[in-house]
Amino acid sequence: MIYDTVLAKSFSRYEQKRLGYGAFVSCLFIVFSLCTVFKPYLGPVHVLNLKLLVGVDTKMLITGSSSRISKVEGKETKKEELLCSSEERTEFCQARGDIRVLGKSSTVYIASSKATTLEKNMSRSLKPYARRDDVDAMIRVRKWTLKEVNVNQKVPQCTQNHSIPAVLFSTGGYTGNHFHEFTDIVIPLFLTARQFNGEVQFIIADNRPWWISKHKPLLKKLSYYEIMDIDQDDGVHCFPRVNVGLKRHHKELSIDPQKYSYSMQDFRDFLRSSYALKRFQAIKIRNGQHGKPRLMILSRKRSRSFINTDEIEKMAKSLGFDVIIREAGKSMWGFAHVVNSCDVLLGVHGAGLTNILFLPENAVFIQVVPYGGYALDWLATNDFGTPSKDMNIKYLEYKISLEESTLVQQYPLDHMFIKNPPLIEKIGWQEFKSVYLDKQNIKLDVNRFKPTLQRALELLHK
């Protein structure tokens, strides 16, 4: 009203009309100029509004440079894509769109609506087990092919439609070895599937039913759906998205938090939740505090076993430890709770040490390294020593002397295996394993080992 009054006093009705037209044209010119200047900067704003307008997945639009978008009936829709990654220890592919999984032919089809002939390079074969360069492991893993096909050509028709994404992986390889189950499958599966918050279908190839039973608490936490045994399935399962293979860090029992959205701390928290573990922190010893720190001696029967466990237990008790002796059993649930109740875990290098994952925060882990030279020292450090530090576990290492090894009873002192343990590359893994891992037991020198246990007590004071 104020502006109308000012215009009426200053201009005639005709002049007001001409002025209005001029102002309107000027505004249009200004808007057009601004759009031209700032056009490069308007893209993200437009994309961010798409989610509200047409329900497009904005994350993929912003970050997926290879995604292809087309308009159908005025709406923007996501078209097909196949993204693959080949890394040091693993390779995996992500397929989106009209995805059809056919178990009997070990093939994942990406059905495309494009009328033109598809590029030949839109096809990839891989083995969905995260230890790609290990020939012995990969022999036991079935190969899968991801293939983009024209939907108008002969393509398997869906027998069952699924509205959630899927993760396809193998339980072949070294399944049956506790260490490899975690470093090759369980941790990579966490890295790959945790982002879906349970809304994901697991598809298992080379299935071992006992493996599913063993890891059931964790699998149920990662996926709310019944696991699909694709080897025994003749149907064609259709998904909007399928991941074939698993992500993993190249180091054992590790996660790179700078590369992924998770860390080993996140994984350990997830384990605690999956197995309903009660203890978060190890005991912190203070002067006058009641209660003894609990020490588990991890027992082994067939090889690398302590042959004087009673002496070790007696010495540990004299230092003030509450000692339990256990061998890893078939029940993951029960053994996880026993390990979680301990403050210190003592064991000889081997797959059973993987159970350090269930220790509470700031617990102490003592790895006894058998006789075997540089090669065995390297394995001990890289398999368990270095990874334990990322788990917020305090690590101690005890390398036995030759006198503490039963190898001196099997070979003369001037034998190569005793005098100068060879590198694995020189004699091959199987022979190295046979000598230093399968034939060796340990008689711990309790007097020589005592300072290591005393150091563990000191660490529990901190």
Side-chain angles (χ1 to χ4, degrees), residues 49-65:
N49 284 314
L50 282 178
K51 188 173 184 179
L52 294 175
L53 295 174
V54 295
V56 175
D57 186 343
T58 59
K59 184 177 180 181
M60 284 309 302
L61 284 171
I62 295 171
T63 63
S65 59

Side-chain angles (χ1 to χ4, degrees), residues 383-445:
D383 288 354
F384 299 108
T386 301
S388 67
K389 297 171 185 177
D390 291 334
M391 301 178 197
N392 201 19
I393 294 173
K394 298 168 182 177
Y395 176 67
L396 295 174
E397 189 172 276
Y398 179 82
K399 297 179 182 179
I400 72 168
S401 63
L402 177 59
E403 292 72 27
E404 294 172 279
S405 171
T406 58
L407 289 178
V408 294
Q409 301 167 14
Q410 303 173 51
Y411 300 97
L413 293 179
D414 61 350
H415 194 284
M416 174 182 66
F417 293 155
I418 299 296
K419 188 176 181 180
N420 186 23
L423 295 176
I424 296 173
E425 290 83 355
K426 289 185 177 181
I427 62 173
W429 168 248
Q430 289 303 325
E431 188 172 2
F432 182 90
K433 177 177 179 292
S434 173
V435 174
Y436 297 104
L437 298 181
D438 296 341
K439 294 180 180 179
Q440 183 173 194
N441 290 318
I442 294 164
K443 186 177 181 180
L444 214 59
D445 183 335

Side-chain angles (χ1 to χ4, degrees), residues 34-129:
L34 287 173
C35 289
T36 303
V37 173
F38 292 105
K39 184 178 180 181
Y41 306 98
L42 295 177
V45 177
H46 171 68
V47 170
L48 291 174
N49 284 314
L50 282 178
K51 188 173 184 179
L52 294 175
L53 295 174
V54 295
V56 175
D57 186 343
T58 59
K59 184 177 180 181
M60 284 309 302
L61 284 171
I62 295 171
T63 63
S65 59
S66 62
S67 301
R68 299 188 292 273
I69 308 298
S70 66
K71 284 193 175 183
V72 179
E73 296 179 357
K75 289 188 177 182
E76 301 229 6
T77 58
K78 189 77 166 48
K79 288 195 71 176
E80 305 78 11
E81 71 173 4
L82 175 60
L83 302 175
C84 294
S85 179
S86 183
E87 301 179 359
E88 185 175 339
R89 284 294 183 91
T90 189
E91 55 183 342
F92 55 91
C93 291
Q94 175 180 283
R96 292 175 180 265
D98 181 359
I99 313 301
R100 309 182 187 193
V101 180
L102 184 57
K104 65 181 181 181
S105 66
S106 302
T107 306
V108 175
Y109 295 96
I110 303 99
S112 174
S113 57
K114 290 188 296 183
T116 58
T117 303
L118 299 164
E119 301 94 333
K120 293 181 180 180
N121 63 355
M122 293 303 287
S123 178
R124 178 76 173 263
S125 293
L126 60 85
K127 292 187 175 184
Y129 182 80

Side-chain angles (χ1 to χ4, degrees), residues 155-284:
V155 60
Q157 297 302 304
C158 302
T159 59
Q160 187 172 350
N161 288 286
H162 306 263
S163 60
I164 57 174
V167 173
L168 190 157
F169 63 98
S170 171
T171 53
Y174 291 134
T175 301
N177 179 290
H178 196 55
F179 169 76
H180 284 285
E181 287 176 26
F182 271 90
T183 198
D184 298 345
I185 304 177
V186 175
I187 295 175
L189 185 60
F190 169 82
L191 271 181
T192 307
R194 186 68 180 119
Q195 60 179 308
F196 300 117
N197 295 314
E199 294 297 328
V200 61
Q201 174 70 60
F202 287 159
I203 303 175
I204 292 185
D206 313 303
N207 185 30
R208 311 288 192 273
W210 59 263
W211 183 87
I212 296 175
S213 298
K214 178 180 178 180
H215 297 282
K216 190 174 182 179
L218 184 142
L219 293 172
K220 288 181 68 175
K221 195 85 171 179
L222 280 174
S223 172
Y224 301 147
Y225 301 86
E226 184 177 351
I227 292 172
M228 186 185 300
D229 181 359
I230 199 65
D231 296 332
Q232 307 301 322
D233 198 312
D234 292 330
V236 179
H237 294 269
C238 295
F239 296 90
R241 173 179 175 183
V242 174
N243 290 285
V244 181
L246 301 175
K247 303 174 184 178
R248 74 160 285 180
H249 189 35
H250 65 274
K251 294 181 180 179
E252 309 290 10
L253 297 178
S254 299
I255 294 174
D256 182 358
Q258 295 183 340
K259 182 175 182 179
Y260 303 106
S261 302
Y262 305 102
S263 65
M264 278 305 293
Q265 189 65 41
D266 294 322
F267 177 71
R268 294 233 299 146
D269 289 343
F270 182 76
L271 278 185
R272 267 191 286 267
S273 174
S274 299
Y275 288 91
L277 301 179
K278 296 179 180 179
R279 294 186 71 207
F280 180 77
Q281 289 279 350
I283 190 173
K284 191 166 185 179

